[in-house]
Amino acid sequence: MPIYEFECGGCGHRFDRLQKLSDPDPSACPQCAADGQVHRRLSAPQFRLAGGGWYETDFKKDGDKKRNLAGDSAAAPAPAPAPAPAPASGD
């Protein structure tokens, strides 16, 4: 079951709710009990599927290009910075 984020338009209270896709969204705010003020927020998931793994290798069609979701930057690492010159000795 997905977790949805809601916000009350009246008091600004934000809350999460674990519910089925078929369950109706709450209509009353649990903080101020305002009815009809609660709206679902659009939020990003807290995880990202990047790199190789079952989701990358098992669910692609044979004709699809196997690619890393992290981008091409992982294929060509940046060169290491040059070491700093040694301080001059005062003999």
Side-chain angles (χ1 to χ4, degrees):
M1 281 193 295
I3 298 174
Y4 294 102
E5 185 178 3
F6 298 95
E7 182 175 13
C8 176
C11 69
H13 176 66
R14 291 184 182 178
F15 61 98
D16 297 332
R17 182 172 166 186
L18 178 69
Q19 67 181 32
K20 295 179 184 178
L21 292 171
S22 60
D23 287 347
D25 289 346
S27 60
C29 175
Q31 184 76 24
C32 69
D35 195 28
Q37 295 291 322
V38 176
H39 302 285
R40 188 183 294 186
R41 291 181 41 89
L42 181 61
S43 58
Q46 296 297 317
F47 68 95
R48 179 176 171 198
L49 301 175
W54 61 268
Y55 47 85
E56 176 70 15
T57 57
D58 294 348
F59 291 103
K60 289 205 179 257
K61 296 177 185 167
D62 290 333
D64 289 346
K65 180 181 174 188
K66 304 280 185 185
R67 61 180 170 77
N68 187 331
L69 297 177
D72 295 333
S73 61
S89 61
D91 281 81

